[in-house]
């Protein structure tokens, strides 16, 4: 084994790449200068191992047959009844589900937040204005600072993520309201892609309550259609019900680290 | 010690013999395996195209393994283009050193971890500890294992050998030394125990700057990594820290983004028996301001790849369906396998990854009845019995066994010899002992010698003309 192969200290390289606040070092900067084709992609201790691993692989599979791939599985299941199936499957995960007409979404948001007595609610950029207004009216009407919103004054407020909210601020929020990118009927899954009205990933993770609005035209029948609609270059979060664990004697417990309550409003 | 290397463990038969005496363990295991097995069967039955998905999963993995060099290079290029950094580790020591150096470069002395088989395999937590870096497991079961200074016993539910009162005891005794203490008056209700874990870890999630993960899949075409989980601890680790280091076995690759449409159906249904796991995260390179490092791990995988029969073990997606249907696992439990990979898949993966040098590793291919239930349950159609038999052929056998097999082969080679042996056996049958003497007793202690008939079937047939006379 080449575990002892010496090389430049990788820490030097990590520093050379530098802390990049936006993280968008494109190709050709920092560590990437070598490019994979040159055999010096990492410039670190892995350089020798890179060639070693590749040569071991080539020796291992030399002369092996080339297997084909047959995709005989369903790629476009029946779309009929997808909205009803989606609602049923999401509810199966013990999420709270409402199916409403498109013009009733704002009312459903206000009612849901009112039931939670949610005083401090995160609203991502790009949430439709009508829905954001619904959040505001709920926050103003149902503001219950007592014991809620534990940070600072605990005053009822709409929390915008600009400038970026700290993890502690998110932790002090009562909930978050978002839209989504795709809903999958067969599995009851919601996919967020950090697009408009969804925000960065932490917004739907740290607060204990997530209210998500899904439009009927965002719902697809099965997993293959969802994968086809999504952009892999965006960070994706697939959500199927609230956070859960079955680690203790296989008893399902909802809510460990993610939001303990997931409420879904489906707009027909 | 959790996730350690299990060095110096005795061979499987001794471990198993001890484990089956533990009635609490057997009760826990039976309940767990049968519950998950039942859930899996019902959600698999929901999909009319399960067989086609399974076939595609097998073929995609075989195709990837055949072209692994090409796809790894494509992955490296895509990850790098998206702002990530790629490192190659030929073995465990090198992977551990790369991770330790990356952590040190951040100036941090602690990391949070997403449950990962690969980092357990290489003993990363222990290696980091030696460098003065504390690794905190954040999956509830892994937390129980870590606090209890214990070993995982199941791929999916690593603390399945512990019951609620044991977990409560571990939390009360150990949580304080790792951070926030367990709440006063903690009961053994699963809900209360999960809440204690939530409180214990929340502050750590919000403040730790470096995370270490594995990945369920890597997409060569796009450079995307995929992690499936349930609790949200994975999302916490993948999202909040400034630096993310993912250690991933080279066989976790899939060629194209589209291939996820197969595996995101196969894995959750086979693993937890759910239509979909609560959370799946995908990310491509450095996202949302995070620094991202990918450590590609060989550590014996290329040796497995070189074995024409054994290489199919590299198709494994770590769903643990084979554990839950295995009659041997159900009784012996995960610890008896002496590896982070227990059960049927462990019995073929561990001896191939580590070699069959130790008594434990050489005994693993025998930790099976060859009933084939694992093959039926496997979502990527790994013929585990085939590989078990193949590995048994490669294992070293005791001299007495080799001599016995050679003698039996000589007898069976010619019909006349067999007939002669049968007549001899029939004549001496009253003298055949129930238990063989000396070291041969090891054979008869676990087997019943069948009654030897007074006459062989062939002799009977010749004498009676097939019963006509």
């Amino acid at each position: 084994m080449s575990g002892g192969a010496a090389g430049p200290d990788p820490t030097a390289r990590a520093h050379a790449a530098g802390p990049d606040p936006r993280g968008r070092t494109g190709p050709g900067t920092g560590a990437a200068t070598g490019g994979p084709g040159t055999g010096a992609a990492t410039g670190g201790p892995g350089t020798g191992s890179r060639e070693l691993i590749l040569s071991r692989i080539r020796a291992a599979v030399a002369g092996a047959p080339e297997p084909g791939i047959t995709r005989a599985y369903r790629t476009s299941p029946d779309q009929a009844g997808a909205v009803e199936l989606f609602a049923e499957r999401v509810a199966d995960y013990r999420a709270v589900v409402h199916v409403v007409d498109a013009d009733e979404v704002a009312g459903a948001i206000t009612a849901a937040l009112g039931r939670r007595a949610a005083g401090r609610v995160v609203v991502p950029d790009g949430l439709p204005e009508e829905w954001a207004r619904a959040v505001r009216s709920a926050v103003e009407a149902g503001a219950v600072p007592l014991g809620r919103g534990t940070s600072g004054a605990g005053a009822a407020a709409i929390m915008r993520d600009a400038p970026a909210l700290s993890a502690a601020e998110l932790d002090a929020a009562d909930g978050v309201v978002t839209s989504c990118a795709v809903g999958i009927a067969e599995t009851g899954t919601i996919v967020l892609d950090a697009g408009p009205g969804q925000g960065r990933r932490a917004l739907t993770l740290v607060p204990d309550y997530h209210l998500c609005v899904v439009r009927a035209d965002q719902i697809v029948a099965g997993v293959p259609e969802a994968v086809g609609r999504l952009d892999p270059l965006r960070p994706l979060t697939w959500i199927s019900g609230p956070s859960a664990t079955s680690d203790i004697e296989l008893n399902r417990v909802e809510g460990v680290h993610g939001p303990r309550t997931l409420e879904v409003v489906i707009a027909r | 010690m959790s996730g350690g290397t299990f060095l110096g463990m005795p061979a499987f038969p001794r471990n198993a013999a001890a484990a089956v005496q533990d009635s609490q363990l057997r009760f826990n295991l039976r309940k767990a395996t049968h519950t998950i097995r039942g859930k899996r069967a019902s959600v698999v039955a929901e999909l009319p195209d399960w067989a086609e998905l399974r076939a595609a999963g097998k073929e995609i993995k075989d195709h990837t393994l055949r072209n692994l060099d090409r796809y790894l290079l494509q992955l490296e290029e895509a990850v790098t283009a998206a702002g990530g950094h790629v490192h190659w580790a030929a073995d465990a020591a090198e992977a551990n050193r790369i991770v330790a150096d990356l952590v040190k470069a951040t100036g941090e002395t602690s990391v949070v971890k997403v449950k990962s088989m690969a980092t357990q395999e290489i003993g990363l937590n222990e290696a980091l500890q030696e460098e003065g870096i504390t690794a905190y497991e954040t999956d509830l079961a892994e937390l129980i294992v870590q606090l209890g200074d214990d070993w995982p016993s199941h791929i999916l539910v690593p603390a399945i050998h512990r019951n609620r009162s044991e977990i409560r005891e571990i939390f009360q005794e150990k949580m304080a030394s790792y951070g926030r203490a367990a709440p006063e008056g903690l009961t053994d209700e699963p809900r209360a125990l999960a809440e204690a874990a939530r409180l214990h870890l929340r502050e750590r999630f919000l403040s730790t700057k470096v995370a270490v993960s594995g990945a369920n899949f890597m997409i060569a075409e796009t450079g995307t990594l995929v992690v499936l989980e349930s609790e949200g601890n994975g999302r916490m680790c993948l999202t909040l820290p400034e630096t993310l280091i993912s250690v991933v076995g080279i066989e976790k690759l899939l060629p194209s983004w589209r291939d996820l449409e197969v595996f995101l159906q196969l894995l959750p249904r086979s693993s937890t028996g759910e239509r979909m796991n609560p959370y799946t995260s995908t990310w491509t390179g450095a996202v949302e301001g995070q620094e991202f490092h990918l450590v590609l791990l060989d550590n014996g995988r290329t040796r497995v790849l070189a074995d024409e029969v054994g290489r199919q073990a590299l198709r494994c997606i770590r769903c643990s369906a084979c554990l839950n249907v295995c009659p041997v696992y159900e009784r012996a439990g995960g610890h008896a396998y002496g590896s982070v990979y227990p059960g049927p898949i462990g019995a073929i993966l561990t001896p191939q990854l580590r070699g069959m040098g130790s008594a434990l590793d050489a005994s693993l291919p025998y930790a099976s009845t060859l009933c084939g239930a694992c093959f039926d349950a496997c979502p990527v159609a790994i013929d585990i019995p085939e590989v078990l038999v193949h590995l048994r052929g490669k294992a070293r056998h005791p001299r007495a066994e080799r001599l016995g097999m050679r003698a039996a082969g000589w007898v069976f080679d010619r019909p006349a010899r067999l007939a002669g042996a049968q007549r001899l056996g029939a004549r001496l049958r009253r003298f055949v002992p129930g238990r063989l003497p000396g070291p041969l007793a090891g054979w008869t202690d676990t087997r019943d010698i069948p009654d030897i008939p007074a006459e062989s079937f062939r002799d009977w047939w010749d004498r009676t003309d097939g019963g006509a006379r």
Side-chain angles (χ1 to χ4, degrees):
Chain A
M1 292 300 205
S2 72
D9 187 347
T11 60
R13 195 178 48 69
H15 280 314
D20 177 353
R22 291 322 314 163
R24 280 289 168 194
T25 28
T29 64
T33 43
T38 67
T42 71
T47 307
S49 296
R50 179 180 188 270
E51 298 315 316
L52 179 67
I53 292 169
L54 290 172
S55 67
R56 283 174 180 169
I57 291 169
R58 287 168 188 144
V61 299
E66 183 67 60
I69 299 173
T70 311
R71 296 180 193 266
Y73 53 85
R74 297 170 302 151
T75 50
S76 50
D78 192 3
Q79 187 71 31
V83 172
E84 289 71 26
L85 183 62
F86 177 74
E88 179 194 317
R89 294 274 154 100
V90 174
D92 241 21
Y93 297 119
R94 298 187 209 170
V96 184
V97 179
H98 312 273
V99 183
V100 301
D101 290 332
D103 58 0
E104 294 169 351
V105 170
I109 291 173
T110 309
L113 293 176
R115 279 192 298 275
R116 293 280 300 183
R120 299 174 61 77
V121 178
V122 179
V123 173
D125 285 349
L127 194 73
E129 198 41 50
E130 192 197 349
W131 302 356
R133 270 202 303 277
V135 176
R136 185 169 300 116
S137 67
V139 165
E140 283 164 3
V144 189
L146 298 170
R148 290 231 154 247
T150 47
S151 90
I158 295 259
M159 300 167 72
R160 294 277 181 186
D161 192 35
L165 295 162
S166 71
E169 285 170 319
L170 285 173
D171 195 29
D174 291 328
V176 57
V177 178
T178 72
S179 61
C180 74
V182 170
I184 307 171
E186 199 164 81
T187 61
T189 303
I190 293 161
V191 188
L192 306 183
D193 71 354
Q198 300 163 55
R200 63 195 165 94
R201 295 171 294 172
L203 300 193
T204 50
L205 171 62
V206 181
D208 202 17
Y209 169 73
H210 179 195
L211 175 60
C212 186
V213 184
V214 184
R215 297 194 321 264
D217 65 354
Q218 292 174 316
I219 297 172
V220 297
V223 173
E225 296 95 312
V227 169
R229 277 200 192 192
L230 292 162
D231 176 2
L233 298 183
R234 307 185 70 92
L236 304 179
T237 305
W238 299 48
I239 298 172
S240 306
S243 157
T245 185
S246 298
D247 280 344
I248 301 165
E249 296 180 9
L250 287 185
N251 291 287
R252 184 177 165 102
V253 175
E254 274 88 27
V256 193
H257 304 297
R260 283 182 283 194
T261 308
L262 174 67
E263 192 154 357
V264 180
V265 174
I266 301 166
R268 278 191 289 252
Chain B
M1 170 166 112
S2 72
T5 48
F6 298 91
L7 281 179
M9 272 187 81
F12 183 85
R14 261 182 68 190
N15 297 335
V20 293
Q21 300 303 319
D22 185 341
S23 57
Q24 177 74 53
L25 178 72
R26 288 189 58 171
F27 176 83
N28 291 358
L29 286 168
R30 184 181 159 77
K31 184 180 166 211
T33 53
H34 284 250
T35 303
I36 308 178
R37 194 196 289 192
K39 285 171 67 184
R40 176 191 163 275
S42 73
V43 295
V44 164
E46 270 183 12
L47 293 188
D49 55 346
W50 184 257
E52 288 77 17
L53 285 166
R54 184 174 185 247
K58 168 188 185 290
E59 289 170 1
I60 291 168
K61 280 286 186 181
D62 280 345
H63 168 82
T64 314
L65 291 168
R66 175 64 185 83
N67 299 282
L68 194 57
D69 55 336
R70 181 159 66 81
Y71 285 127
L72 282 171
L73 290 172
Q74 192 185 2
L75 173 82
E76 180 186 55
E77 191 173 350
V79 170
T80 308
H85 308 290
V86 179
H87 311 261
W88 301 69
D91 58 18
E94 187 176 12
N96 288 334
R97 205 183 57 242
I98 291 170
V99 175
D101 287 345
L102 287 169
V103 177
K104 282 191 215 164
T106 66
E108 297 295 318
T109 55
S110 65
V111 300
V112 282
K113 279 190 69 201
V114 189
K115 177 177 171 333
S116 140
M117 307 296 298
T119 60
Q120 283 175 11
E121 174 193 323
I122 62 176
L124 177 67
N125 292 10
E126 295 74 15
L128 290 178
Q129 196 64 60
E130 282 172 25
E131 304 276 345
I133 298 161
T134 311
Y136 294 100
E137 295 290 348
T138 64
D139 172 74
L140 178 51
E142 293 292 354
L143 177 71
I144 295 165
V145 168
Q146 184 174 42
L147 293 177
D149 197 17
D150 195 0
W151 286 330
S153 63
H154 190 283
I155 290 175
L156 172 70
V157 275
I160 203 59
H161 56 291
R162 298 285 198 182
N163 59 31
R164 59 180 76 189
S165 60
E166 291 175 302
I167 296 168
R168 171 172 167 266
E169 213 164 287
I170 291 168
F171 279 10
Q172 283 182 324
E173 282 176 17
K174 297 287 187 59
M175 263 188 175
S177 57
Y178 277 81
R180 178 167 175 160
E184 286 288 321
L186 178 65
T187 71
D188 64 3
E189 271 304 299
R191 187 164 296 280
L193 295 169
E195 173 70 8
R198 177 187 178 94
L199 294 170
H200 177 75
L201 286 172
R202 181 141 281 234
E203 209 168 298
R204 177 153 293 133
F205 284 134
L206 300 187
S207 61
T208 305
K209 294 194 161 54
V210 183
V212 176
S213 83
N216 295 98
F217 306 105
M218 309 185 283
I219 311 295
E221 172 191 38
T222 59
T224 307
L225 271 78
V226 184
V227 166
L228 281 70
E229 53 138 351
S230 295
E231 297 170 8
N233 65 302
R235 291 178 67 192
M236 288 280 179
C237 295
L238 300 172
T239 309
L240 296 180
E242 292 166 9
T243 302
L244 172 61
I245 304 165
S246 299
V247 181
V248 188
I250 51 176
E251 85 285 14
K252 294 275 172 176
L253 208 55
L254 299 176
S256 68
W257 174 249
R258 187 191 172 186
D259 296 325
L260 273 185
E261 73 190 20
V262 175
F263 290 92
L264 288 183
Q265 297 192 72
L266 289 176
L267 180 51
R269 286 178 201 257
S270 302
S271 181
T272 56
E274 295 169 300
R275 298 186 183 109
M276 195 64 90
N277 50 296
Y279 297 133
T280 297
S281 297
T282 79
W283 72 98
T284 301
V287 294
E288 293 180 349
Q290 201 171 44
E291 168 130 348
F292 174 60
H293 295 271
L294 171 61
V295 182
L296 295 171
L297 178 71
D298 179 348
N299 202 34
R301 285 159 176 75
T302 48
R303 180 170 47 205
V304 184
L305 188 62
D307 187 315
E308 279 180 37
V309 177
R311 67 167 63 120
Q312 57 185 308
L314 296 177
R315 291 203 297 259
C316 177
I317 54 175
R318 312 283 188 264
C319 70
S320 70
C322 61
L323 277 62
N324 300 326
V325 297
C326 177
V328 176
Y329 175 87
E330 182 185 326
R331 286 159 183 85
H335 290 164
Y337 295 81
S339 149
V340 295
Y341 304 112
I345 186 61
I348 62 170
L349 199 53
T350 307
Q352 294 197 84
L353 285 173
R354 296 203 293 223
M356 289 197 280
S358 75
L360 171 68
D361 293 336
S363 72
L364 286 176
Y366 293 89
S368 168
T369 62
L370 302 180
C371 77
C374 49
F375 180 25
D376 290 342
C378 179
V380 286
I382 300 170
D383 191 343
I384 294 176
E386 180 191 20
V387 182
L388 285 167
V389 172
H390 171 71
L391 293 175
R392 288 180 187 187
K394 292 171 77 173
R396 269 195 65 76
H397 295 268
R399 192 174 140 80
E401 186 187 333
R402 277 182 284 146
L403 284 174
M405 285 298 170
R406 201 176 304 159
W410 183 83
V411 170
F412 287 125
D413 202 35
R414 296 273 194 288
R417 288 177 193 156
L418 178 61
Q422 282 171 329
R423 279 180 207 125
L424 185 68
R427 207 161 305 150
L428 301 175
R429 66 192 185 120
R430 136 190 11 215
F431 303 107
V432 173
R435 187 167 190 264
L436 291 172
L440 298 172
W443 179 272
T444 48
D445 282 353
T446 53
R447 291 167 183 83
D448 291 324
I449 294 181
D451 288 336
I452 298 174
E455 185 179 31
S456 78
F457 176 78
R458 281 167 180 275
D459 285 349
W460 169 83
W461 185 277
D462 286 345
R463 185 170 55 77
T464 64
D465 194 16
R469 276 203 292 272

